[in-house]
Amino acid sequence: MTQPATDSHEQPQSYPPPADLAAGAVATAALYEEAAADRLAFWGRQAAELLTWDTAPTQVLDWSDAPFARWFADGKLNAAANCVDRHVAAGHGDRVALHWVGEPGDTLTVTYADLHEQVQRAANALTELGVRTGDRVAVYLPMVPEAVVALLACARIGAPHSVVFSGFSAQALRDRVDDAQAVAVITADGGYRRGEPAPLKPAVDAALATTGPDGADRAPSSVKAVLVVRRTGGEVAWTEGRDHWWHEALEAASAVHEPVSVEAEHPLFVLYTSGSTGKPKGILHTTGGYLTQAAYTHRNVFDLHPETDVYWCGADIGWVTGHTYIVYGPLLNGATSVMYEGTPNTPTQDRWWQIVETYGVTKLYTAPTTIRTFMKWGEELVSGHDLSTLQVLGSVGEPINPEAWTWYRRVIGGDRTPVVDTWWQTETGGIMISALPGVTSLKPGSAQVPLPGIGVEVVDDEGRVLPAGHEGAGYLVLTEPWPGMLRGIWGDDERYRDTYWSRFRDQGWYFAGDGARRDADGDVWLLGRVDDVMNVSGHRISTTEVESALVSHPSVAEAAVVGASDPTTGQGIVAFVILRESAHGADAAAVGKELRDHVAREISPIAKPRQVLVVTELPKTRSGKIMRRLLRDVAEDRQVGDVTTLADSSVMASIQAGMRSGK
Ligand code: WTA
């Protein structure tokens, strides 16, 4: 774990809430008092007020089978009806739900009434294809409006969706489809990325093929139907009987669909995320509790006023941020959102600021990596645009350094807007630690305080709570169950207990896997992961996953991977590989490129190592465990730490020499 920096962090400047924002804010300090007085009653009120129930719940939390929680268990509702139907019924059908912007410049305005019709048609189309309540549906789509429709259509029939990021490889898609036993895949012919149409359907075909990438036969997948959105108009291979065009299926389907009323604990989605072993975990979220937390956090953290706000979350739907803060949170709150298909530098590096200006965006949510990239591109790109509509800026996914925080506020926010740093995880379903923009005085670089209703502590190895102002770093734990908490890992209860609940079993705390400290004011500073999970541009990638991909290459005998700090991406992946005899003497640069491309093919371009270093040995303990800590020292160009536990202490010297001699 890294130690917190003590320089500028110690006496940060503090930014009180702007007076006008505070005066009209949806969240006031009273929320903290209410939640502290009776936490469960507080959540009960949120669930009752923010959602529309078919059967109102009478219970809040059943924790009798901990760590398996049941929230609002005797209530019934439908997620899609909450996101769409009730707004139309309340007379807001003409309100824009999505201002969608395609990368090539095409745009689409989707109202709540449009969504209502599309979602009903899609729900009927899925039913026609044989998808039943409880079946899993994989979604592998670019950032097109159909992605939102697809998720809501699944939710409408009670079929949990499993979104797979469209940048993932065919193999990664297959692994996730198999694990969830998905019966259908919703995909597209392709999407636009960096000015070019990027095909997607071939990866689905490869994933579902009965011949594996190695040419060997493999079992047919569980998928019976593939729905294909036409986006790029490119040629696609077609499997008769299995493949169906989305537009044809929706056109043929009825525009009326009765939402399936499900129990609060009915699974809403499974979303895979990296853990500290190679196999991704299917994080399970259910309906009533997740939606409560999505609506509550989105409304209060972004101070959402649905009649006037234009909200934009720049994440991808393939990650949890997209689920909670592009789809469920904003739609539950009846918000108007911007959704953008492409990359921030296409066709020009001020694309985002054009969009903010065009739509009058008021609330913006993005990751520190993106902010640091904009910093690198220079503030001239921003200054030509009128961003005066912006009122609240959010940050998520990795610790935000104070420099990036102040730049975000000053350059994007015109030195007016609060910047809320929001800490949470796929597992938590929604934001857990964040300032409230109308209440909290902000401290650059700190996520600050748990939201009302959330219990957070920073503890040492033995589970002792570290007092505020304690100099050392500790572990972040969540001390109370919360409505949006994961309900388990798909098909693996034991891994769920082990991963999150065994470390502090006696106290019954959730172990988040993040290092943290609390300053003298009690504000929380996040310090990065304490396990073998890397955070690259806000994406969670496990070291073992990348190592497995590397050793699957015929030239590689052994591999060790570390996340090294990187000024833009937070961490960069550095791989140390030992080559097989057959590859000895190969050109190091060519090998490096080949292996980087190999990892991109096996997992995704996001998992591509920044650097590949060919070594002859790896630092191991006498019991054979790779000492990544030492490799991280090398990768970050630091003095190598204690090597006394190494089986052969000369190994590090030779690795360092290799690193210095030009990589
Ligand atoms: C990291 C993304 C510091 C953290 C929503 C966490 C953060 C992991 C922050 C979850 C933040 C997320 N400050 N670190 N504001 N937000 N993280 O599941 O390490 O993709 O455990 O969820 O990202 O990543 P995930």
Side-chain angles (χ1 to χ4, degrees):
M1 192 188 315
T2 38
Q3 291 294 320
T6 48
D7 46 15
S8 60
H9 295 210
E10 283 311 308
Q11 263 139 19
Q13 201 177 342
S14 168
Y15 298 84
D20 52 342
L21 194 145
V26 295
T28 65
L31 268 192
Y32 292 104
E33 287 159 35
E34 183 195 344
D38 188 340
R39 206 175 61 84
L40 293 182
F42 169 82
W43 283 120
R45 180 175 79 82
Q46 299 301 332
E49 290 180 6
L50 296 171
L51 303 182
T52 303
W53 297 81
D54 302 325
T55 306
T58 62
Q59 322 164 355
V60 176
L61 170 66
D62 175 359
W63 194 228
S64 58
D65 187 27
F68 297 91
R70 292 165 59 78
W71 282 86
F72 315 116
D74 62 346
K76 292 184 84 175
L77 76 171
N78 181 276
N82 269 275
C83 288
V84 183
D85 300 35
R86 62 174 177 157
H87 304 311
V88 176
H92 303 312
D94 291 339
R95 186 183 293 165
V96 174
L98 300 175
H99 289 293
W100 179 79
V101 182
E103 199 190 71
D106 47 338
T107 60
L108 202 65
T109 306
V110 183
T111 64
Y112 276 89
D114 296 336
L115 259 191
H116 194 212
E117 184 190 330
Q118 293 291 306
V119 171
Q120 293 187 79
R121 285 185 184 275
N124 281 321
L126 287 171
T127 308
E128 277 298 300
L129 292 173
V131 180
R132 298 285 170 261
T133 302
D135 287 347
R136 275 78 58 209
V137 176
V139 176
Y140 186 62
L141 280 171
M143 288 289 289
V144 289
E146 287 85 349
V148 177
V149 175
L151 266 52
L152 294 175
C154 291
R156 198 172 183 93
I157 62 175
H161 50 76
S162 170
V163 180
V164 179
F165 173 54
S166 65
F168 273 134
S169 66
Q171 187 57 48
L173 173 62
R174 174 68 187 238
D175 293 343
R176 287 157 178 77
V177 161
D178 282 353
D179 190 77
Q181 289 289 293
V183 302
V185 179
I186 306 177
T187 188
D189 51 0
Y192 288 91
R193 210 76 201 140
R194 301 183 209 290
E196 300 284 336
L200 208 53
K201 174 75 166 36
V204 177
D205 294 330
L208 304 184
T210 45
T211 311
D214 52 359
D217 286 350
R218 63 177 174 192
S221 85
S222 47
V223 170
K224 303 288 174 283
V226 177
L227 261 177
V228 188
V229 172
R230 186 143 72 195
R231 168 65 183 134
T232 58
E235 284 281 314
V236 286
W238 209 251
T239 302
E240 282 307 327
R242 185 197 71 181
D243 297 352
H244 309 267
W245 284 112
W246 166 274
H247 60 275
E248 288 177 4
L250 263 67
E251 207 174 280
S254 157
V256 179
H257 180 275
E258 185 64 28
V260 177
S261 188
V262 298
E263 293 186 352
E265 284 299 337
H266 187 77
L268 180 61
F269 66 85
V270 177
L271 181 60
Y272 287 83
T273 187
S274 293
S276 42
T277 67
K279 189 173 165 351
K281 304 178 281 198
I283 303 299
L284 170 65
H285 283 288
T286 59
T287 309
Y290 169 82
L291 294 179
T292 300
Q293 188 147 352
Y296 161 75
T297 52
H298 180 256
R299 181 177 139 82
N300 292 295
V301 171
F302 292 100
D303 186 37
L304 195 90
H305 299 267
E307 303 79 19
T308 48
D309 268 324
V310 179
Y311 161 87
W312 181 14
C313 168
D316 189 283
I317 215 136
W319 311 114
V320 75
T321 309
H323 283 58
T324 309
Y325 299 106
I326 292 177
V327 182
Y328 290 107
L331 294 175
L332 286 167
N333 289 326
T336 295
S337 299
V338 165
M339 182 175 177
Y340 173 55
E341 179 185 35
T343 47
N345 55 353
T346 308
T348 50
Q349 290 175 333
D350 63 345
R351 186 71 190 266
W352 272 38
W353 317 121
Q354 290 169 10
I355 293 174
V356 169
E357 189 170 10
T358 304
Y359 294 99
V361 172
T362 56
K363 312 284 161 74
L364 180 67
Y365 194 26
T366 188
T369 292
T370 313
I371 299 161
R372 290 192 294 262
T373 304
F374 291 137
M375 287 172 76
K376 217 161 57 179
W377 290 347
E379 53 185 277
E380 314 78 65
L381 288 164
V382 184
S383 53
H385 296 279
D386 176 8
L387 307 185
S388 61
T389 48
L390 288 170
Q391 293 164 13
V392 178
L393 305 177
S395 173
V396 59
E398 7 154 16
I400 180 165
N401 45 315
E403 298 70 28
W405 193 103
T406 19
W407 189 92
Y408 195 22
R409 181 188 153 97
R410 180 177 62 79
V411 178
I412 308 303
D415 234 344
R416 298 168 283 110
T417 60
V419 172
V420 288
D421 176 16
T422 64
W423 178 90
W424 60 295
Q425 310 177 298
T426 306
E427 290 87 341
T428 69
I431 297 169
M432 302 292 281
I433 305 179
S434 171
L436 292 176
V439 180
T440 320
S441 282
L442 301 168
K443 211 182 260 184
S446 167
Q448 299 197 275
V449 280
L451 287 180
I454 300 297
V456 166
E457 287 295 355
V458 175
V459 305
D460 69 11
D461 254 322
E462 269 80 58
R464 286 179 300 238
V465 173
L466 295 177
H470 183 275
E471 277 306 308
Y475 304 106
L476 186 77
V477 295
L478 303 172
T479 57
E480 304 285 354
W482 63 101
M485 67 193 287
L486 76 166
R487 298 303 196 265
I489 293 176
W490 189 259
D492 202 342
D493 286 352
E494 199 173 304
R495 192 172 177 196
Y496 170 63
R497 288 178 195 275
D498 280 358
T499 310
Y500 307 107
W501 302 97
S502 63
R503 182 75 188 254
F504 298 108
R505 182 184 289 128
D506 294 347
Q507 298 86 344
W509 291 338
Y510 170 93
F511 174 60
D514 278 32
R517 64 179 280 266
R518 264 189 147 141
D519 66 18
D521 301 328
D523 284 323
V524 178
W525 296 74
L526 274 311
L527 304 171
R529 302 286 309 185
V530 294
D531 53 11
D532 289 333
V533 175
M534 299 173 286
N535 190 326
V536 182
S537 300
H539 302 315
R540 269 165 81 167
I541 301 164
S542 87
T543 50
T544 24
E545 220 174 332
V546 180
E547 286 166 3
S548 310
L550 285 166
V551 295
S552 75
H553 190 280
S555 301
V556 177
E558 235 185 305
V561 162
V562 298
S565 62
D566 184 287
T568 306
T569 60
Q571 284 190 314
I573 303 176
V574 179
F576 297 83
V577 296
I578 300 177
L579 297 181
R580 283 181 194 282
E581 201 84 41
S582 56
H584 283 177
D587 174 56
V591 170
K593 180 174 185 319
E594 166 65 20
L595 293 180
R596 293 174 70 242
D597 292 346
H598 177 72
V599 174
R601 273 194 308 272
E602 287 290 305
I603 308 174
S604 160
I606 60 173
K608 234 181 181 179
R610 181 183 79 186
Q611 237 174 323
V612 176
L613 289 154
V614 176
V615 296
T616 48
E617 269 178 286
L618 289 168
K620 289 186 185 160
T621 60
R622 285 176 195 94
S623 60
K625 201 173 169 307
I626 292 175
M627 295 195 67
R628 289 207 181 78
R629 174 174 61 78
L630 300 177
L631 292 173
R632 205 172 304 127
D633 289 341
V634 175
E636 294 179 345
D637 205 10
R638 259 197 313 272
Q639 180 82 34
V640 172
D642 184 9
V643 297
T644 50
T645 52
L646 280 183
D648 172 2
S649 59
S650 69
V651 170
M652 289 317 297
S654 83
I655 292 178
Q656 268 182 311
M659 177 98 177
R660 299 232 161 90
S661 73
K663 289 135 202 190

